[in-house]
Amino acid sequence: MNQILFSSSWGPKEKHSDPPVASPKKNPPFSWSKDKLKRRENIIVPVVDGLPEAAIGEKQTWQALGIKSVLAIPIEINQQSRGFLGFVSVGKRRDWSSEDIRLLEMVGDILNNVLTRRQNEDLLKRQDALLTAVSHAAGLLLESQHWEEAIPDILSHLGMANQVSRAYLFRNQTLDGRLTTSQLFEWCADGISPQISNPDLQNLPLDELGLLPWADKLKEGQTIQYHIKNLDEPLRGFLSAEQIQSILVVPIRVKNAWWGIIGFDTCDQEREWVSSEVETLRAAASILGAAIQRQQDEDDLRASRERLRQISDLSTDYAVAYQITPDGNLQVEWQIGNLHELVGIAVDGNILSGGWEKVVHPEDAPRLKDYLLHLLNHPEPEGVDFRVTFLDGSEHWLHAYVRPVWDENEKQVVRLVGVLRDNTEAKQAEEEIRCLYQAEREGRELAEALREIGARLTGTLDLEEVLDDFLVQVARVVPY
């Protein structure tokens, strides 16, 4: 925090010698004066020797400097105390008149207005620079395939626009059941020692150094802003070792969870970030979090598609998603496997418009079309078996399991997502088993007919009648 201190003494150049000046090792704090200035009260001291016991620090210091009387008024910038403007009388006592007080207050008002206007102008310039930096960050993240590639440039622009000593990014992770954080990127102003290689900033446990209260606030989406001198040990010593005087920490959230932080240090002076600056930097953190989430989603999608592809390769399955067009046809959105190529149908071919009719078995085509139309009106997943002919002339049985996707806003099915399994071998096995059962049944019936004919032959002499009956039984069991 900048302190603006003005003091002045005037009068004829007296011939008395300079007052003795004592230099105590450590001046007591001016708690009495600070309290009055914080309450926006003037400090009017006609006789320093008559100060109360509560002002012992001021009394001892002023006496050592030969000051006999003091008049001071608070200086404020944007309604925040920034120091004082004062008159002192050295060597002799002075009773401050109402005219003295009024004059000093007039000068103080002018100074307050000038300093406030100047700070506001500086703040507006800094705010404009910050907004430009955030816009630049959004553009970089939009253009970059990987958000990590854009971070060094983003931190550089934010750090310079924010007029800080360091800007950095940390990511959280859980190690051995403990929440830790590690620095991934850093930007430093000229003359500031970098900390990116500091091992203490890698896998830093958040339950040490008094960081738990910070972690709790950051989890809730709150920002952290402190002057390091106001922190308790051991955190104060830990941050002071990096020459930090003031710090601002903004949480980064990804998928509604605390992912990490983007932080800013000042090492050359104390600094207070006003609400508009904090909100702008929160916007930057939100944009970064959205970019990280987008990349995670894309990575998850690629991983899911790769898993589906591997499953397809292992199980000879095919997967396809059809979007239902306004005219009621099915347009391929994506496919896994090469079913369309195997059957010689263009990717934009679809069943409802007849693109598949030339490859689906004539006995199965009507049933397949009815099946798909049924799904459009009854959005429940179902399965169906049908036969198709590949380009090489081979006939294959496919089992399709299709899930309709219902759009609640449009109140209709908007796409069909299906998995198709080549069931040819299973169907062939089923047919072989059916043939075996059929042959076994026919064998049993033939054996039974033979036993019956044998019994009749032993009981009759009409051989012709028995043989005619025998041929009828054989024709029934073994058609020819």
Side-chain angles (χ1 to χ4, degrees), residues 154-168:
I154 289 174
L155 291 180
S156 173
H157 278 76
L158 288 177
M160 289 187 288
N162 202 15
Q163 298 179 10
V164 295
S165 303
R166 296 190 190 97
Y168 42 83

Side-chain angles (χ1 to χ4, degrees), residues 335-349:
Q335 63 171 335
I336 297 176
N338 58 346
L339 177 62
H340 288 81
E341 289 78 5
L342 289 174
V343 298
I345 293 294
V347 173
D348 58 352

Side-chain angles (χ1 to χ4, degrees), residues 167-363:
Y168 42 83
L169 182 134
F170 279 69
R171 179 175 60 193
N172 301 334
Q173 61 272 332
T174 300
L175 295 177
D176 299 327
R178 302 175 72 186
L179 183 61
T180 66
T181 191
S182 297
Q183 182 170 251
L184 300 184
F185 299 94
E186 179 190 45
W187 168 86
C188 293
D190 292 340
I192 301 299
S193 59
Q195 300 295 318
I196 191 65
S197 300
N198 186 346
D200 293 335
L201 300 181
Q202 299 299 315
N203 300 324
L204 174 64
L206 292 176
D207 56 0
E208 295 182 359
L209 299 173
L211 286 171
L212 271 181
W214 286 31
D216 291 339
K217 290 183 178 181
L218 292 167
K219 287 178 183 177
E220 296 173 359
Q222 302 180 35
T223 58
I224 302 292
Q225 180 176 179
Y226 276 106
H227 299 316
I228 304 306
K229 68 180 183 184
N230 296 331
L231 294 173
D232 295 329
E233 294 291 353
L235 184 55
R236 180 176 62 203
F238 181 78
L239 296 177
S240 295
E242 301 173 22
Q243 292 80 48
I244 303 173
Q245 295 197 39
S246 297
I247 187 172
L248 172 67
V249 179
V250 182
I252 299 172
R253 298 182 66 81
V254 176
K255 295 183 178 179
N256 295 321
W258 179 37
W259 181 91
I261 61 101
I262 184 171
F264 306 91
D265 298 340
T266 57
C267 299
D268 52 348
Q269 62 181 352
E270 290 186 341
R271 161 81 176 276
E272 290 183 3
W273 287 266
V274 299
S275 59
S276 59
E277 294 176 307
V278 174
E279 290 306 312
T280 302
L281 293 172
R282 284 174 66 91
S286 297
I287 292 171
L288 178 55
I292 296 172
Q293 179 171 333
R294 183 191 66 193
Q295 182 171 320
Q296 288 183 356
D297 291 341
E298 291 175 351
D299 292 343
D300 291 344
L301 180 59
R302 281 193 292 268
S304 296
R305 287 181 173 174
E306 177 61 19
R307 286 194 296 270
L308 284 174
R309 187 195 65 77
Q310 292 174 357
I311 293 172
S312 175
D313 291 343
L314 292 174
S315 61
T316 68
D317 282 349
Y318 311 97
V320 62
Y322 286 99
Q323 182 183 15
I324 301 175
T325 61
D327 58 0
N329 287 323
L330 303 180
Q331 182 73 37
V332 173
E333 284 188 322
W334 53 263
Q335 63 171 335
I336 297 176
N338 58 346
L339 177 62
H340 288 81
E341 289 78 5
L342 289 174
V343 298
I345 293 294
V347 173
D348 58 352
N350 62 76
I351 297 173
L352 296 184
S353 65
W356 280 73
E357 289 183 357
K358 65 180 182 181
V359 296
V360 176
H361 195 284
E363 295 179 2

